[in-house]
Amino acid sequence: MAGLAVAVVNHAGIPTAVAPRPTPVTPRSAEGALEELLAGNARYVANRPTSGQRDVRALRSQTEDTQTPFAAVLGCADSRVPVELVFDQSIGQLFVTRVAGNFATPEIIASLEYGVAVLKVRTILVLGHAHCGAVKAAMKTESVPGQISSLYAPLRQAVQQSGGDVEKAVMINARLQADLLRTSSTVIHEAVAARHLTVAAGVYDLVSGKVTIV
Ligand SMILES: [Zn+2]
């Protein structure tokens, strides 16, 4: 499919050239999907994103009745990790689940299973990030208001294996949650076995913007 054309006009409003709009990339292989996520992240890191040039009004119309995201992401609720921006993607491209501490609950797994079984996403990336408040809180296990402490138990194993190092706990947690997705869900397990899906773990650096697969 050709990229959408954009008319370029001079100061008098007369069209002078036609510049191509970026064509959306919709990889349909498991390896290609993870590669596109990382390529989008590289554009974001280099401060050369292209998703902002997409016509969101057209995208909203095109996706009114259907969605075909190529990747799913399990990310943290943290405001500093906006998933579509981090991977330079737009409407209809990512199927995103978020919870503080980016861990897999039954509801998160069910949502990702929908992404795999129905929407046919080709990769799931569990995305932890540096300076994660949920991980720090789980390490301290201090008394907190409301139900915030319910975040502690799912992060306990990573905290125990980290030796008290927050950034190590973030990395271990991303790996453990990716393992949990591969083993606890028959839908995900079978898609991986059939090579229709990859499940990966990554960590996001708040300053550089880079996602590193761990
Ligand atoms: Zn976090």
Side-chain angles (χ1 to χ4, degrees):
M1 191 176 75
L4 297 170
V6 183
V8 179
V9 296
N10 64 17
H11 62 275
I14 299 167
T16 56
V18 174
R21 275 215 173 112
T23 301
V25 177
T26 51
R28 285 293 127 192
S29 75
E31 294 76 16
L34 184 58
E35 283 173 11
E36 169 49 22
L37 275 184
L38 297 177
N41 178 245
R43 295 193 295 273
Y44 169 75
V45 168
N47 206 23
R48 283 199 290 270
T50 61
S51 60
Q53 299 166 31
R54 307 275 307 276
D55 183 343
V56 289
R57 192 166 54 179
L59 283 175
R60 289 197 300 266
S61 295
Q62 290 162 11
T63 55
E64 181 185 6
D65 297 324
T66 184
Q67 57 170 324
T68 53
F70 69 88
V73 177
L74 167 51
C76 182
D78 196 301
S79 66
R80 299 167 296 180
V81 194
V83 177
E84 274 84 357
L85 285 179
V86 164
F87 295 106
D88 188 28
Q89 303 296 326
S90 189
I91 295 166
Q93 294 181 293
L94 299 183
F95 190 77
V96 180
T97 58
R98 293 177 72 166
V99 61
N102 50 269
F103 51 79
T105 68
E107 296 83 1
I108 291 279
I109 293 171
S111 299
L112 293 172
E113 286 180 336
Y114 180 81
V116 171
V118 179
L119 303 179
K120 309 294 184 191
V121 299
R122 292 307 192 195
T123 191
I124 298 174
L125 179 63
V126 180
L127 185 63
H129 67 95
H131 306 288
C132 181
V135 171
K136 286 180 184 175
M139 282 188 151
K140 291 178 185 165
T141 62
E142 290 172 346
S143 179
V144 284
Q147 300 180 38
I148 297 173
S149 62
S150 66
L151 300 173
Y152 295 171
L155 298 170
R156 188 172 298 136
Q157 191 180 350
V159 167
Q160 287 172 342
Q161 293 178 16
S162 70
D165 182 331
V166 172
E167 302 317 318
K168 197 170 171 185
V170 165
M171 181 183 72
I172 293 169
N173 178 52
R175 287 179 178 164
L176 287 175
Q177 301 306 326
D179 285 343
L180 188 59
L181 292 177
R182 290 187 199 99
T183 54
S184 66
S185 163
T186 52
V187 170
I188 293 171
H189 180 79
E190 287 171 8
V192 170
R195 305 178 82 114
H196 292 157
L197 178 76
T198 56
V199 180
V203 174
Y204 175 73
D205 184 281
L206 296 181
V207 178
S208 72
K210 184 174 171 51
V211 172
T212 302
I213 299 299
V214 296

